[in-house]
Amino acid sequence: AVGRAPSSSDKIKLLEQQAVVAARKLEEATVALRAAQAAQEALLVRQPLDALFYVVSPKDIVWARPSDLDDHVSWLMERGRYEDAMIVATKGSAQLRTHTVRDIGAKYLEHLVAIGEVEQAAALCPQILKDDATAWEEWIFRFAQIGHLRAVAPHIPVGKPQLSDCVYEMVLNQFLNDDHARFLDTVKKWPPRLYDRQNVITAVIDKLKRASNETLMDALATLYAHDGQYDKTLHIYLRLRRGNVFELIEKHNLYDAVRDKCKLLLEFDEAAAVRLLTERTDRVPMGAVVEQLRTSRRLLHVYLHELFLRDCHMAKQYHELQVELYAEFDRDHLLPFLRQSTNYRLEAAYRVCVERELYAEQVFILGRMGNAKQALQLIMEKLRDVRQAIEFVEWQNDDELWHDLIDLSMRDAAHVASLLEHIGAHVDPIELISRIPQGMRIDGLRDRLVKIISDYNLQCELREGCNRVLKADNKALFDRLVHGEQAGVAVAPERANHARCATCQRSVIGARA
């Protein structure tokens, strides 16, 4: 159909008839004819076989055809609508003859880069370049040339496709120079097969020689782990005091590597290190640990204390040293240690306790040295603990010490009062009371006297009762013995000639004449 538009130039509208008796407008074009009257004489001719249209006038012939998907894509790109062109091309890729989705995408990327939308261009690379390794490498170098390699780095493929080593190393080198945090993150995320690990390790070491940097040290530790050099990874983690050190040691059997790093290990995580070093003394000898910790006495004490708790004989050669360490860092455990161990010189231990004024420990050592009187005097004068003095004398089991205890107590009314209350039946209360100095004022004396006498009488009654029970049991057992000795002994007939008396070994049944 041909229609007239009210203008100096004639507009020809081409319509395609549809089966639903509706017309769809395909294209509207302005055709300028060289003669004003030409439009009135124009003729529209259609060639059904080729789907072509001819507009014929006396001086012009205009050729036209229906637009296809390639025309539509070209039209969109000419107007800068690349995103719409990508959508149209992707949906109808089978109908394209002159365009391809990849070519359209490449032009789209070029357009975005040209207008400064580099981040958006980088984000679209996976969608446009897909698994074309060559295209990926070209575009990565393009981003590097324009100084925006960091924009495309997060989108670089690491699997399908895998690019050449130099591409990945170029990105790592860029981050190594200007973004250490991104370098560390990339090293941790990227599989180590993508690049030459030794080249990257060498570059990092060179960088660290010029200036120390914890982030780069962390990255170097990761690179060493990727390269299987776990001992170097362990050393860096210990220096930085970070990382899964103990998991690394156990997983890769690095016990030999920590033999000379015990102090660093304890400073990294004291509890975990002590547990590892005390559990694996077969791999990390005690001597090696002790020598390294000589200058760190508190850590040495923690290590030896844990060994002692595991086995009190395991490190007995260091027990004398432990006396000093307990006195310096852990006084509460010194006395139990002295009681449990015998692998130290009493004189040396006593000297340490005297220097640090550890009176309870001095009392114990003096008791073991046989100087019970001095120990008792120390309890009464320094500790001023009558109950402990009574327990000490009981432990020594020396009657003479009870008299010494009474003598020492008579100098202080408080000691006398405590002695009256706690001494019980160990001494005759008459003797104790008679030795109390005249005129000494003792708080609660009457009640204390009643208590000591009652305790003494009770002890006497208990002893008498025990003696009666003992005598009765003794007689009953003796009667049972006599009855058993007087009873007959059954002897089998076939062994009668071999039966002998248990006392004289003579035959029970004499031989016949």
Side-chain angles (χ1 to χ4, degrees):
V2 178
R4 297 281 299 173
S7 66
S8 57
S9 298
D10 294 291
K11 291 184 179 179
I12 301 176
K13 297 181 179 179
L14 305 180
L15 303 177
E16 179 182 320
Q17 191 70 26
Q18 299 295 319
V20 294
V21 197
R24 179 172 65 88
K25 182 177 180 181
L26 297 177
E27 185 68 29
E28 181 178 310
T30 300
V31 180
L33 301 178
R34 282 179 286 184
Q37 69 277 13
Q40 298 176 2
E41 301 172 0
L43 177 66
L44 177 63
V45 181
R46 180 185 180 189
Q47 173 116 14
L49 185 62
D50 296 329
L52 296 177
F53 295 88
Y54 297 91
V55 179
V56 182
S57 72
K59 294 185 178 182
D60 292 288
I61 298 178
V62 180
W63 170 80
R65 64 173 175 77
S67 63
D68 57 13
L69 196 61
D70 285 292
D71 296 324
H72 187 41
V73 169
S74 298
W75 185 84
L76 290 171
M77 288 194 295
E78 289 171 1
R79 287 156 178 78
R81 297 168 58 183
Y82 289 95
E83 186 173 359
D84 294 336
M86 281 288 297
I87 295 173
V88 171
T90 302
K91 290 181 178 179
S93 58
Q95 303 175 33
L96 295 175
R97 294 195 304 268
T98 60
H99 293 293
T100 64
V101 175
R102 186 163 296 170
D103 291 340
I104 299 168
K107 292 179 181 179
Y108 187 18
L109 293 179
E110 291 284 1
H111 170 72
L112 290 174
V113 170
I115 64 175
E117 296 291 341
V118 180
E119 296 287 345
Q120 185 179 354
L124 286 172
C125 283
Q127 176 185 344
I128 294 172
L129 304 179
K130 299 186 184 300
D131 57 353
D132 188 340
T134 303
W136 266 108
E137 292 183 5
E138 290 175 354
W139 272 102
I140 290 171
F141 283 112
R142 175 69 184 282
F143 278 104
Q145 290 172 356
I146 63 176
H148 287 282
L149 187 59
R150 298 173 62 183
V152 75
H155 309 289
I156 295 177
V158 296
K160 294 182 180 179
Q162 180 173 329
L163 311 181
S164 59
D165 294 357
C166 63
V167 173
Y168 299 107
E169 290 177 18
M170 177 180 67
V171 176
L172 290 174
N173 187 65
Q174 177 75 31
F175 291 152
L176 178 61
N177 289 325
D178 58 24
D179 193 338
H180 296 164
R182 287 283 295 276
F183 178 78
L184 172 61
D185 185 62
T186 304
V187 165
K188 288 183 175 180
K189 287 182 178 178
W190 279 2
R193 57 181 167 75
L194 299 178
Y195 50 87
D196 188 315
R197 295 183 293 276
Q198 197 56 49
N199 287 345
V200 180
I201 288 173
T202 302
V204 176
I205 292 174
D206 291 340
K207 193 79 172 177
L208 287 171
K209 286 179 180 178
R210 294 191 290 271
S212 179
N213 183 280
E214 286 194 6
T215 304
L216 289 184
M217 290 288 290
D218 199 353
L220 183 60
T222 303
L223 288 168
Y224 277 137
H226 288 337
D227 201 44
Q229 301 183 59
Y230 300 108
D231 55 336
K232 295 182 179 179
T233 299
L234 174 64
H235 182 68
I236 293 174
Y237 280 164
L238 289 175
R239 285 182 57 189
L240 298 178
R241 298 189 181 185
R242 68 179 65 164
N244 53 339
V245 168
F246 298 97
E247 180 182 344
L248 194 69
I249 293 172
E250 295 177 3
K251 183 177 180 180
H252 300 288
N253 195 24
L254 299 178
Y255 297 101
D256 292 339
V258 300
R259 283 191 178 188
D260 59 345
K261 300 178 179 65
C262 297
K263 184 177 179 181
L264 287 174
L265 203 63
L266 284 160
E267 290 173 347
F268 177 81
D269 187 333
E270 186 175 297
V274 167
R275 183 169 58 252
L276 181 142
L277 293 174
T278 53
E279 287 178 352
R280 301 309 304 265
T281 53
D282 57 325
R283 301 298 305 277
V284 187
M286 290 183 294
V289 180
V290 171
E291 289 306 313
Q292 292 178 58
L293 299 180
R294 290 281 185 182
T295 57
S296 301
R297 291 174 62 84
R298 191 192 67 81
L299 294 177
L300 179 59
H301 162 67
V302 172
Y303 171 69
L304 291 176
H305 175 63
E306 184 65 23
L307 284 177
F308 185 77
L309 293 179
R310 288 180 176 272
D311 184 348
C312 62
H313 303 293
M314 183 180 293
K316 61 183 181 180
Q317 64 269 36
Y318 301 112
H319 282 193
E320 193 164 309
L321 172 61
Q322 280 189 268
V323 173
E324 300 177 15
L325 296 174
Y326 277 116
E328 184 175 355
F329 299 106
D330 192 359
R331 296 187 178 186
D332 291 342
H333 286 96
L334 176 56
L335 186 56
F337 174 80
L338 293 173
R339 287 173 174 167
Q340 193 170 354
S341 173
T342 58
N343 299 297
Y344 57 89
R345 292 176 300 152
L346 294 173
E347 295 81 2
Y350 180 72
R351 184 167 55 253
V352 171
C353 295
V354 169
E355 290 174 356
R356 295 187 176 273
E357 298 183 350
L358 303 176
Y359 300 116
E361 290 76 8
Q362 290 180 48
V363 169
F364 174 78
I365 296 172
L366 287 171
R368 286 190 59 180
M369 294 171 68
N371 199 343
K373 289 188 176 181
Q374 184 179 351
L376 180 61
Q377 185 176 355
L378 195 64
I379 296 173
M380 297 300 292
E381 294 180 355
K382 296 297 184 181
L383 299 179
R384 301 182 60 81
D385 190 337
V386 175
R387 295 190 65 176
Q388 182 177 346
I390 293 172
E391 292 174 0
F392 176 77
V393 176
E394 286 179 337
W395 177 53
Q396 294 293 322
N397 194 22
D398 185 348
D399 292 339
E400 186 178 349
L401 283 179
W402 289 112
H403 298 289
D404 294 334
L405 174 59
I406 293 173
D407 291 339
L408 292 170
S409 300
M410 294 304 152
R411 304 172 186 175
D412 190 321
H415 287 173
V416 174
S418 183
L419 195 64
L420 289 171
E421 186 171 354
H422 300 294
I423 199 169
H426 294 294
V427 297
D428 186 348
I430 302 301
E431 179 184 356
L432 174 59
I433 295 169
S434 64
R435 295 181 62 177
I436 298 176
Q438 292 290 333
M440 178 177 285
R441 183 176 181 83
I442 302 173
D443 294 337
L445 177 61
R446 186 185 62 181
D447 295 337
R448 297 179 192 277
L449 290 175
V450 170
K451 184 177 186 304
I452 190 174
I453 294 173
S454 299
D455 290 345
Y456 184 78
N457 291 335
L458 178 62
Q459 288 291 332
C460 291
E461 291 177 2
L462 287 173
R463 288 176 183 175
E464 291 176 1
C466 289
N467 285 333
R468 288 194 296 270
V469 172
L470 182 61
K471 290 178 180 179
D473 289 345
N474 189 25
K475 183 177 184 308
L477 291 173
F478 183 76
D479 292 343
R480 184 186 300 176
L481 175 63
V482 171
H483 178 74
E485 292 292 336
Q486 292 177 346
V489 179
V491 179
E494 62 274 12
R495 296 189 58 83
N497 294 331
H498 300 285
R500 294 184 178 277
C501 175
T503 301
C504 65
Q505 296 299 314
R506 295 175 61 186
S507 176
V508 176
I509 302 176
R512 294 180 180 179

